Amino acid sequence: MDLATLKALKPTEYAEAAEGYRSTSAMASAAKDRVETRIAVSMRESLKGEAADAAIGQLAELGKNFHYIQLECGLVGSALEAFAYEMEAAKRKLDAALDDARSAGLTVHLDGSITYPPGGQKAEDGRLPEGGTVSGLTDGTASAVGRQAAGFDPNPHRRRAQDCANVIAAALRQATEADEKWAPKLRALKADDDLTVSDRDWADASSDTSGVREAGKTYLDSLPQPPRDGTPRQNAEWWKSLSTEEQAAWVSMRPDAVGALDGLPSTIRDESNRMVLAEARGVAQGQYETWLRNHPAPDRFQTYIDPYTGTLMKGVQVETQAWKKWEEARKGAHKTLDGMDAIQRRFDATGKNGLPKAYLLGFSAEGDGRAIIANGNPDTADHRAVYVPGTGSELGNVEGGINRMVNVWHTANDEADGQSVSTIAWLGYDAPDSVVKDAPFEHYAYDGAPAFRNFMDGLDASQPGNSESHTTVIAHSYGTTLVGAAAETGHLNADDVVFAGSPGVKVSHADQMDVPDGHVWNEEADGDSVPDLGRWGHSGDGFVIPSDPEFGTNEMTTDTEGHSGYWDEGSTSLLNQSLVVVGKGNTVELKPPPDPWAHVK
């Protein structure tokens, strides 16, 4: 970039263009929301049949287009804003040098060189030290040598000229580097010439986001930063302090960071995490297709051979061991995609049987994965329930937790007397992978407890004004151990706690659960062996679990069987949980107290 171009450049024009792209992004976001949560919902409620299903499918594709436009236009806006910021810095440097040169009577040439006039003390012959022309130096060593040489020159104008020339050269170099850096980034922010947003498009979007984030680090670092290890309340205050432009830059350039911050509005976390999800799915799909190419499927069937006679049984086909092994590996390669697809199915279910919009309050595909999905906006709900799953929970099987909280939402909503309900599936920790190998270790609970407490505190911090909600924690299996560890080591920030199938909760009595007296509830179903494992595993050391009478919980009637049936539709087990969720614990059906004379009879 030359001096004339930088001098004439108006960074504000790029900032204005950035605002236009941000506006387009916002319009696309609003259109996506209308399509997915109003138009499609209305069609699901009023129309049935193949034509309606096809139309709803087309609306889903349209929603993807709007989502892609939202993300890409947001990136363009942030890229232009960052470019304007860097060019403005270079231009300020140039303008300051030009003003300095002008005031010193120096002449600046189009190539950035500067001519200085004669000056200084006259020589014996009566002449002033001669003037001259210097060029700017940007190399550190050369600049230092040049400044030193100018300092020994008897003409003081040379030192001033050299300083100005160096600043001009630095400004031109800074502007050139910014231009060369951002030009390819901006050219890359374009979509394929079609109407289909494919997995490859989302993978490219992930690359675009990484590119803009890397190139815009200087700009992003200039913005107010989130508090280091901040509390949810501090996070909320930081977000409120940002301008609209600054918020847009954080969402587009660091959606992963914004979506993970407890205390921010659920709408913002949802918007950010949906971007992360869409990009992660595109990348994961590409990885899965690569796995398939590198691991071609073996023959699935072979003719059955009678093991006793060795005779081929014509017409009888059995699956080969090689295919079974391959299929198990394939399912493992697809596991992350299974979880992402389950989340998308919940998005697509909005409006079915009155189900409210889903909010993605947390998401990561790293390791076993993380996902936090709310039915309804918890920031505005009168009643909220947060479900903590147990051993074996990971992104790949998150659908089970999602469906359980959908069932709680439906039942609680029916009992809420018109008040609003939000139910949340919280997979925000690294759950044990195996009952035998991992679940006996308590570090999973204590490692996950701080994240759970922060999330609970964040639910309060993100509420508008002085709103207060009634909040219930529902924990299952090892999830009850985590909740107990969270209460033992800090403030739980809940009004009620419901345990289901608990093997133990790290405290010895209900009054240690950091909720009001009488607000700890428990369910233990017939045929659920997990509570017994908790009892037997600590036999003789005074260990108690929530279903033991001495623990002091409200033992709710449970009509389901086994370890995973507590949320079966239409069950008393589900109804009792839902009554607690909406603050109607006084109507819960409780188990009769044990008969102290049963052993005599």
Side-chain angles (χ1 to χ4, degrees):
M1 181 169 292
D2 58 32
L3 187 148
T5 301
L6 181 57
K7 184 178 179 181
L9 187 74
K10 297 179 180 179
T12 55
E13 293 181 349
Y14 292 94
E16 291 170 358
E19 177 58 31
Y21 276 100
R22 282 194 297 269
S23 297
T24 302
S25 177
M27 286 189 290
S29 176
K32 171 183 174 293
D33 193 59
R34 282 196 300 273
V35 166
E36 294 181 347
T37 64
R38 292 173 57 185
I39 300 174
V41 168
S42 178
M43 291 184 68
R44 288 192 189 104
E45 291 175 343
S46 59
L47 300 175
K48 303 294 179 184
E50 293 184 4
D53 291 342
I56 291 171
Q58 290 297 316
L59 284 174
E61 293 303 312
L62 181 60
K64 290 180 183 179
N65 276 272
F66 283 130
H67 193 198
Y68 185 78
I69 292 170
Q70 174 195 0
L71 188 151
E72 289 289 315
C73 285
L75 281 175
V76 174
S78 293
L80 288 172
E81 196 72 65
F83 176 71
Y85 170 82
E86 294 182 26
M87 296 304 288
E88 178 63 34
K91 194 172 190 308
R92 281 198 305 267
K93 191 178 291 184
L94 173 65
D95 291 344
L98 293 177
D99 288 343
D100 193 18
R102 190 179 303 110
S103 65
L106 307 175
T107 301
V108 180
H109 303 287
L110 289 177
D111 63 357
S113 63
I114 294 180
T115 297
Y116 57 93
Q121 295 183 351
K122 292 182 179 181
E124 293 181 359
D125 59 4
R127 291 187 300 178
L128 291 172
E130 294 182 355
T133 299
V134 295
S135 297
L137 302 169
T138 57
D139 177 77
T141 301
S143 178
V145 172
R147 286 170 59 86
Q148 187 176 30
F152 286 114
D153 195 298
N155 186 338
H157 295 308
R158 179 179 174 183
R159 175 64 180 269
R160 189 91 177 258
Q162 188 65 63
D163 287 345
C164 289
N166 287 351
V167 173
I168 290 172
L172 292 175
R173 179 178 178 178
Q174 183 177 340
T176 299
E177 289 177 348
D179 187 44
E180 292 176 346
K181 176 178 68 175
W182 283 110
K185 301 297 183 186
L186 287 166
R187 280 195 294 268
L189 295 173
K190 62 180 181 180
D192 294 336
D193 188 17
D194 57 40
L195 296 176
T196 300
V197 181
S198 65
D199 291 316
R200 182 174 179 178
D201 289 328
W202 285 120
D204 288 343
S206 177
S207 177
D208 292 341
T209 300
S210 297
V212 172
R213 178 168 58 241
E214 179 183 354
K217 185 178 185 304
T218 300
Y219 168 65
L220 200 62
D221 288 347
S222 74
L223 303 181
Q225 301 294 299
R228 183 181 297 273
D229 300 322
T231 65
R233 189 70 59 182
Q234 291 170 330
N235 294 340
E237 291 304 317
W238 165 75
W239 184 256
K240 292 175 185 176
S241 73
L242 300 178
S243 67
T244 302
E245 293 77 10
E246 290 168 342
Q247 289 179 348
W250 275 103
V251 169
S252 63
M253 298 170 74
R254 287 304 309 273
D256 56 332
V258 173
L261 278 180
D262 294 312
L264 269 59
S266 293
T267 52
I268 298 300
R269 296 185 71 174
D270 176 59
E271 176 185 352
S272 301
N273 285 313
R274 287 190 187 223
M275 291 180 182
V276 177
L277 170 64
E279 293 180 357
R281 201 204 178 287
V283 172
Q285 182 65 36
Q287 293 172 339
Y288 175 67
E289 291 172 358
T290 298
W291 187 94
L292 289 177
R293 287 194 296 271
N294 294 335
H295 301 82
D299 291 338
R300 180 171 182 176
F301 295 104
Q302 66 181 14
T303 302
Y304 178 69
I305 302 176
D306 188 293
Y308 298 103
T309 66
T311 303
L312 289 173
M313 307 295 289
K314 293 183 178 180
V316 180
Q317 298 285 302
V318 295
E319 290 180 342
T320 65
Q321 289 301 314
W323 185 88
K324 290 179 180 179
K325 184 177 180 180
W326 176 87
E327 175 63 4
E328 183 178 357
R330 186 201 65 78
K331 288 179 179 178
H334 197 272
K335 185 164 57 175
T336 297
L337 285 167
D338 290 337
M340 297 181 193
D341 291 344
I343 295 171
Q344 185 60 51
R345 282 193 291 274
R346 171 55 192 92
F347 291 161
D348 296 340
T350 295
K352 291 182 179 179
N353 300 319
L355 192 63
K357 177 183 175 179
Y359 291 79
L360 188 59
L361 305 182
F363 177 80
S364 172
E366 298 297 320
D368 285 343
R370 302 285 190 274
I372 307 172
I373 305 99
N375 302 297
N377 189 342
D379 295 349
T380 57
D382 297 305
H383 301 281
R384 304 178 301 201
V386 183
Y387 167 74
V388 184
T391 299
S393 298
E394 57 184 8
L395 179 59
N397 58 27
V398 73
E399 190 160 29
I402 293 174
N403 291 340
R404 287 171 179 177
M405 286 302 98
V406 166
N407 290 347
V408 171
W409 185 89
H410 280 300
T411 308
N413 185 62
D414 290 342
E415 301 291 336
D417 298 331
Q419 292 186 310
S420 56
V421 177
S422 175
T423 60
I424 304 166
W426 185 84
L427 177 56
Y429 79 113
D430 181 23
D433 291 330
S434 165
V435 172
V436 176
K437 295 180 180 179
D438 303 309
F441 296 100
E442 61 184 19
H443 72 84
Y444 292 96
Y446 287 108
D447 290 348
F452 182 66
R453 285 197 304 269
N454 281 340
F455 179 75
M456 298 298 291
D457 289 343
L459 289 179
D460 281 355
S462 61
Q463 285 195 312
N466 296 320
S467 302
E468 290 187 3
S469 300
H470 169 255
T471 304
T472 302
V473 173
I474 302 174
H476 180 227
S477 194
Y478 192 90
T480 69
T481 309
L482 182 146
V483 172
E488 180 191 15
T489 56
H491 181 47
L492 191 57
N493 205 351
D495 301 297
D496 286 274
V497 172
V498 176
F499 296 131
S502 174
V505 298
K506 311 310 302 176
V507 298
S508 58
H509 197 273
D511 61 11
Q512 297 172 295
M513 282 305 303
D514 194 37
V515 293
D517 290 344
H519 286 258
V520 180
W521 312 80
N522 189 68
E523 292 185 339
E524 181 177 334
D526 291 340
D528 187 349
S529 61
V530 170
D532 288 332
L533 289 174
R535 287 191 191 93
W536 297 334
H538 297 83
S539 177
D541 62 3
F543 183 84
V544 295
I545 65 172
S547 53
D548 291 336
E550 57 266 39
F551 191 89
T553 64
N554 299 301
E555 281 295 317
M556 299 192 289
T557 297
T558 308
D559 62 341
T560 53
E561 293 186 3
H563 190 55
S564 302
Y566 296 98
W567 296 272
D568 289 351
E569 292 183 67
S571 67
T572 301
S573 305
L574 175 62
L575 175 61
N576 281 336
Q577 290 186 40
S578 301
L579 289 171
V580 173
V581 169
V582 297
K584 293 183 176 181
N586 60 320
T587 64
V588 165
E589 182 179 332
L590 298 176
K591 285 184 177 180
D595 183 355
W597 300 101
H599 65 288
V600 177
K601 298 176 183 178

